[in-house]
Amino acid sequence: MDQLLKDLSQSTIAAVATPPGKGGISVVRVSGPLVHRVISNILHTELSPRQANYLPFYASDGQVIDQGVAIFFKAPYSFTGEDVLELQGHGGPIIMDMLLEAVLHSGVFLAKPGEFSERAFHNDKLDLAQAEAISDLIDCGSRQAAKSALRSLTGEFSKKVHELLEKVIYLRIFVEAAIDFPEEEIDFLQDKKVSEQTNAISSFMKKLLENAEQGSLLREGMKVVIAGKPNAGKSSLLNALAGKESAIVTNIEGTTRDVLTEQISIDGLPIHIVDTAGLREANDQVEKIGIQRAAKEIESADRILLVIDASQQNVVDVSTEITRYIDPSIDLPPITVIRNKIDLIPEEALAEQPIDNFETIALSANTGSGIDLLREHLKTSVGFDAAESGTFMARRRHIDALKKAEHHINQGFSQLADFAAGELLAEELKLAQDCLNEITGEFTSDDLLGKIFTSFCIGK
């Protein structure tokens, strides 16, 4: 860590901070101690902090590359906490390449993915949860996701984590003080302060986890795999959910021979829908490969929509419709049975064909009847609440850290209740504190930091 901070303090980095391609404006961002050299070499003048200047940009041979806006941010009042220069030029890839080359000629290094945000983290401009929210805000696929990412970026998620940390630390201090000073003769089980604090921590943790899990759904979405026999209407269901003709639909069995994926959003919940080849014993080599790919998608699904033709097929054992094609050691994801083509049968006939133990939705992908019911079912199946206003954008590692902290806290409370063991409670509270610190980066391994920041885009 010390060597990393030393390297950060001694090197200046630069990158094109806007997407590749043609546009009205592109931006080259520079951060580090050599910013003033870059200003002198590229602009041939000095800049006042936080003032936009329209100037020519010069190459190392003195030729004008472009004209644009230059803004200098003096440390520590910048995104990274270092001296920062932003050069806004015309958005052509050749122009940006020439400008970046001139900047690098001043002894500047090309930035790695996420390096600007990593410097902001190390310079205490952002905590780790806020830094991750930057990437999430860029990648979000719905308005709800953007609002949640912005709440995390502005520190609301971190603030809640710190509030929980303070409660844990306060209780830990009280318990350890009682252990260190036994003459006070504090009875942990009878002391109201301990019981009040344990209840407060448990309820706060539960609410924080609920909001974080909602945010995780907004970020990661839900993978739904449509499976079933040929001609059950799988591709028609994909088209109905997507609202467009994404898949080819014919009366010929085995039309779909490969995996087809569509991204949709239901009230802000991202859903990755995967249409697969019909499940059956096939002789055709191409169809066999399609069925093998379907099996792989089924194994990694968050939910399976098993589509059956309500006008022809009466499924007795739903599981065997799928398990014969997948690895028997894999736990089968949750299944929802979709009785499709209800427009082809009388309503009373449908009522006579219940399928026990599986949630069942009757619909017609052709007419659209029942599709809204399926959309609501998908949201409900993962506990998604579109009206939740306190949601934070959260990653899987945040959820895992919160659940580990919750486990240690509950374990400590159990030790106290069962054995009046204040020492064990204090140790479990310490472990919970370490888990919560991982979220904001106050206690995080270098390997985890590297993994997080290299997933960012270059220039951020």
Side-chain angles (χ1 to χ4, degrees):
M1 178 65 75
D2 291 340
Q3 182 60 43
L4 174 61
L5 293 175
K6 182 179 179 182
D7 293 342
L8 288 174
S9 66
Q10 293 180 346
S11 63
T12 301
I13 57 172
V16 178
T18 42
K22 297 180 180 179
I25 297 174
S26 288
V27 177
V28 171
R29 174 182 280 173
V30 189
S31 178
L34 297 183
V35 160
H36 284 285
R37 181 193 293 181
V38 174
I39 291 173
S40 178
N41 292 346
I42 301 295
L43 304 175
H44 294 181
T45 186
E46 289 298 320
L47 298 179
S48 298
R50 296 180 173 274
Q51 290 188 10
N53 301 268
Y54 183 71
L55 299 166
F57 302 156
Y58 294 94
S60 57
D61 61 2
Q63 296 294 315
V64 175
I65 300 171
D66 193 11
Q67 292 191 88
V69 175
I71 307 176
F72 168 55
F73 300 90
K74 185 174 178 60
Y77 306 108
S78 69
F79 173 70
T80 62
E82 304 171 332
D83 284 346
V84 170
L85 174 67
E86 291 193 356
L87 301 172
Q88 303 176 11
H90 292 94
I94 302 301
I95 296 295
M96 284 296 105
D97 285 346
M98 293 170 63
L99 182 56
L100 182 59
E101 182 182 347
V103 170
L104 298 178
H105 194 266
S106 297
V108 177
F109 294 94
L110 188 64
K112 300 188 292 292
E115 193 168 0
F116 290 95
S117 297
E118 185 174 5
R119 292 188 176 208
F121 167 71
H122 286 298
N123 291 325
D124 295 325
K125 305 297 288 187
L126 300 166
D127 65 31
L128 193 54
Q130 288 175 294
E132 290 171 303
I134 296 172
S135 180
D136 295 335
L137 185 60
I138 293 170
D139 294 336
C140 63
S142 68
R143 291 188 177 188
Q144 287 88 342
K147 290 177 181 178
S148 295
L150 189 58
R151 278 193 283 268
S152 291
L153 177 57
T154 55
E156 289 190 32
F157 180 38
S158 301
K159 181 180 177 182
K160 292 295 183 182
V161 172
H162 281 295
E163 283 185 39
L164 180 57
L165 260 170
E166 288 175 4
K167 293 178 185 296
V168 171
I169 292 171
Y170 180 82
L171 180 57
R172 181 185 167 195
I173 290 172
F174 179 79
V175 171
E176 291 188 351
I179 295 170
D180 292 338
F181 301 99
E183 63 273 10
E184 297 293 332
E185 297 183 354
I186 295 176
D187 186 342
F188 291 112
L189 294 177
Q190 299 301 321
D191 191 274
K192 289 185 178 180
K193 184 176 290 187
V194 173
S195 61
E196 289 172 358
Q197 285 296 311
T198 55
N199 292 334
I201 289 172
S202 295
S203 60
F204 196 99
M205 172 68 81
K206 181 180 179 182
K207 183 62 177 177
L208 183 58
L209 253 175
E210 288 175 355
N211 285 335
E213 287 175 337
Q214 288 286 308
S216 181
L217 281 173
L218 283 172
R219 180 181 184 274
E220 298 176 7
M222 176 186 185
K223 181 177 179 180
V224 176
V225 174
I226 302 174
K229 292 184 177 179
N231 265 17
K234 300 183 300 299
S235 295
S236 296
L237 180 59
L238 172 70
N239 292 341
L241 286 170
K244 60 182 180 180
E245 297 297 316
S246 297
I248 298 173
V249 176
T250 73
N251 292 325
I252 302 172
E253 289 190 354
T255 302
T256 302
R257 296 194 171 197
D258 204 348
V259 171
L260 182 61
T261 303
E262 271 291 339
Q263 313 290 331
I264 69 168
S265 175
I266 301 178
D267 291 339
L269 172 64
I271 297 184
H272 317 288
I273 309 176
V274 182
D275 183 23
T276 59
L279 300 177
R280 65 174 176 176
E281 298 300 328
N283 296 319
D284 184 277
Q285 186 62 30
V286 176
E287 189 175 358
K288 282 184 177 180
I289 294 173
I291 294 171
Q292 290 171 0
R293 292 183 178 181
K296 290 185 180 298
E297 295 295 335
I298 288 170
E299 290 170 4
S300 62
D302 293 314
R303 180 160 290 269
I304 301 168
L305 300 183
L306 178 62
V307 183
I308 66 172
D309 185 342
S311 66
Q312 297 181 7
Q313 188 178 7
N314 182 20
V315 177
V316 177
D317 189 344
V318 172
S319 295
T320 57
E321 288 285 302
I322 296 175
T323 53
R324 71 180 68 176
Y325 301 100
I326 68 172
D327 185 342
S329 65
I330 300 293
D331 290 333
L332 198 62
I335 298 174
T336 299
V337 177
I338 304 297
R339 277 217 172 101
N340 190 25
K341 304 184 183 182
I342 60 171
D343 53 313
L344 302 181
I345 63 173
E347 185 174 343
E348 58 272 15
L350 180 64
E352 294 171 358
Q353 301 177 11
I355 299 179
D356 295 333
N357 302 323
F358 288 94
E359 294 183 88
T360 304
I361 294 178
L363 56 79
S364 169
N366 185 38
T367 66
S369 174
I371 294 297
D372 286 341
L373 182 63
L374 174 58
R375 291 192 177 104
E376 289 299 317
H377 166 72
L378 291 175
K379 288 193 301 180
T380 304
S381 68
V382 290
F384 180 73
D385 183 3
E388 180 60 62
S389 60
T391 300
F392 312 107
M393 186 61 74
R395 298 189 170 200
R396 178 48 50 190
R397 76 169 196 91
H398 301 155
I399 305 296
D400 291 343
L402 286 171
K403 286 185 175 180
K404 287 178 183 177
E406 183 181 44
H407 170 75
H408 287 303
I409 289 169
N410 291 338
Q411 189 78 2
F413 295 165
S414 296
Q415 298 286 0
L416 182 65
D418 295 341
F419 308 108
E423 296 88 347
L424 295 179
L425 172 58
E427 179 60 24
E428 294 292 346
L429 290 173
K430 178 184 179 299
L431 294 173
Q433 183 180 341
D434 290 342
C435 292
L436 295 174
N437 279 330
E438 287 183 3
I439 296 175
T440 56
E442 293 175 42
F443 173 73
T444 309
S445 70
D446 292 346
D447 290 341
L448 178 58
L449 289 179
K451 184 176 181 180
I452 288 170
F453 286 110
T454 53
S455 68
F456 285 32
C457 56
I458 294 174
K460 200 61 191 165

